[in-house]
């Protein structure tokens, strides 16, 4: 499923980025350029990111605090 139509970024790409260490929308912007055009995808991308971080076994909750 596409999350960012402007840059053609899928939910799967976001999940891969999280597995590789992305922990914020800013990280996704830097790695994938997500939200760099119209920005309408940022809200949904944040939901995907939050959900994925909650499930990621490598995620350190202290990073968000
Ligand atoms: S949909 Fe992501 S920048 Fe437009």
């Amino acid at each position: 499923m596409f999350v960012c139509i402007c840059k053609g970024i899928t939910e799967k790409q976001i999940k891969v980025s999280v597995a590789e260490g992305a922990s914020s929308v800013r990280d996704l912007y830097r790695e994938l350029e997500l939200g760099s055009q119209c920005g309408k995808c940022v809200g949904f991308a944040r939901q995907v990111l939050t959900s994925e971080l909650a499930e990621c076994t490598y995620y350190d909750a202290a990073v968000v605090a």
Side-chain angles (χ1 to χ4, degrees):
M1 174 184 196
F2 281 100
V3 174
C4 178
I5 301 299
C6 294
K7 300 301 280 187
I9 299 166
T10 64
E11 194 171 344
K12 185 171 183 174
Q13 285 176 281
I14 293 175
K15 290 179 179 182
V16 169
S17 289
V18 170
E20 292 175 347
S23 61
S24 67
V25 172
R26 183 173 296 200
D27 289 342
L28 296 177
Y29 177 87
R30 272 185 279 199
E31 289 182 28
L32 305 172
E33 296 185 3
L34 182 142
S36 62
Q37 298 293 310
C38 72
K40 291 181 180 177
C41 56
V42 172
F44 183 55
R46 184 171 286 117
Q47 289 178 19
V48 172
L49 179 73
T50 301
S51 171
E52 196 59 21
L53 287 173
E55 293 179 16
C56 184
T57 57
Y58 299 108
Y59 176 62
D60 182 2
V63 171
V64 172

